Amino acid sequence: LAKGSGKNTFRFYEPHMNEEAVRRQQLQSGLRAALGNGELRVHYQPKFDLRSGRLTGSEALVRWHHPVWGPVPPSRFIPVAEDFGLIGVLGRWVRDTACAQLVAWQQAGMAPGHAAVNVSARELHDPAFEEGLVQTLRETGIAPERLQLEITEGVLLQDTDAALAKLCRVRDSGVGLAIDDFGTGYSSLSYLRRLPVDTIKIDQSFVRAIGADAAGAAIVRAVIGLGQSLGRRIVAEGVEESDQLDFLRRQDCDEAQGYWFSAPLPAAEYASRYG
Ligand code: C2E
Ligand code: MG
Ligand code: MG
Ligand code: MG
């Protein structure tokens, strides 16, 4: 709010702010209901090894279809879930669902690889997170190595030492760790030294920039080189064009996902295409 410009400025912005607050309240109560009534789903987006062309696994992405509002994007409701204390329950549900799905696919004779799930910083900082993770592994029977958690650099903005210790314990349990949206967060390079991750996901904004300008291509090339020297696996996300894929292959990028291969799919469709 423009402080120096007096009360009128505040009043000018007030209706808009109320509208947003009301919308967030509606999303919150809608989401609370959705967590119990089957409106939430998990979609799976395949990931591929760029050398062999083989499927390596899938990223689980939550979907919400509200009966009146229609599809609500995660970019809209994940922040609400975080702010209203629902992210723990939501994240747990997504992990339980994705792990149970992976085990079901294995039992059906598929080779589904690993399941990657997103964990928001708020969730990771929750003291109940680790116990929940142990329960998910135990209850679904998934091998820890088949689960990968995608975190963002933001997890280290707060309680850095505690967060690092927690991530080390998670990694030591066998569960994989990836930095998501790499390059868009804060202090990428200093955190990269300390984060116990085995995988780096290049943010889609850089992948999109590959063909756009020389700087885009240079950044992607540099991140791949960095990952190689640090012994991390590099995944490019948001690959939409064959030119991007060719470039990533030439740079010896390990893995890729994106619309060029497939959009995130409902479980049944995923199984029929990749089973
Ligand atoms: P993310 O983890 O970086 O996921 C990748 C996003 O890019 C997904 O959007 C995916 O549908 C989209 N995408 C995949 N391929 C392409 C492509 O080729 N082009 C473009 N333009 N987009 C592509 P989505 O599903 O809308 O999710 C957005 C973000 O919401 C995710 O970004 C993640 O940060 C968050 N999110 C989604 N599901 C969960 C969840 O279960 N838990 C948490 N904590 N966050 C989630
Ligand atoms: Mg992700
Ligand atoms: Mg990402
Ligand atoms: Mg993201």
Side-chain angles (χ1 to χ4, degrees), residues 40-271:
L40 296 178
R41 292 273 189 280
V42 177
H43 284 189
Y44 300 87
Q45 186 175 38
K47 301 162 66 179
F48 295 92
D49 183 286
L50 289 184
R51 294 181 199 94
S52 66
R54 280 203 202 102
L55 184 83
T56 58
S58 61
E59 178 172 1
L61 295 152
V62 67
R63 294 289 177 262
W64 180 16
H65 192 100
H66 187 276
V68 177
W69 307 329
V72 185
S75 57
R76 190 73 183 110
F77 68 82
I78 295 285
V80 171
E82 288 174 342
D83 293 346
F84 289 94
L86 297 173
I87 193 66
V89 177
L90 177 66
R92 175 71 192 271
W93 179 81
V94 172
R95 280 191 298 282
D96 285 351
T97 304
C99 290
Q101 184 60 253
L102 195 90
V103 170
W105 282 335
Q106 283 172 330
Q107 286 169 349
M110 277 173 67
H114 67 259
V117 296
N118 297 282
V119 178
S120 77
R122 288 278 181 91
E123 216 186 328
L124 188 82
H125 288 292
D126 184 334
F129 175 77
E130 280 179 281
E131 178 53 25
L133 187 60
V134 169
Q135 281 171 1
T136 296
L137 295 171
R138 194 173 48 225
E139 286 165 15
T140 61
I142 188 180
E145 294 72 25
R146 296 223 173 232
L147 177 63
Q148 183 178 68
L149 305 183
E150 298 191 359
I151 56 173
T152 56
E153 295 151 87
V155 298
L156 295 187
L157 285 179
Q158 195 199 327
D159 293 335
T160 308
D161 292 335
L164 277 172
K166 194 178 276 194
L167 289 171
C168 287
R169 286 193 299 273
V170 168
R171 202 248 341 246
D172 290 345
S173 76
V175 170
L177 285 178
I179 309 189
D180 205 349
D181 306 338
F182 181 74
T184 61
Y186 308 84
S187 310
S188 312
L189 296 178
S190 61
Y191 286 163
L192 191 56
R193 270 183 63 225
R194 307 176 66 194
L195 273 169
V197 298
D198 40 78
T199 300
I200 296 171
K201 296 188 80 170
I202 306 180
D203 189 65
Q204 31 186 285
S205 59
F206 300 118
V207 173
R208 206 169 302 132
I210 287 175
D213 50 48
I219 290 173
V220 170
R221 197 183 296 121
V223 174
I224 293 171
L226 185 66
Q228 285 169 342
S229 4
L230 294 171
R232 260 73 152 198
R233 208 169 156 77
I234 300 285
V235 180
E237 57 177 4
V239 177
E240 294 183 354
E241 293 165 14
S242 64
D243 288 351
Q244 296 165 347
L245 186 60
D246 292 342
F247 177 84
L248 292 163
R249 278 217 183 90
R250 281 199 304 276
Q251 300 305 317
D252 209 22
C253 181
D254 297 298
E255 248 177 84
Q257 75 184 91
Y259 296 162
W260 192 85
F261 302 97
S262 168
L265 300 170
E269 209 176 315
Y270 183 91

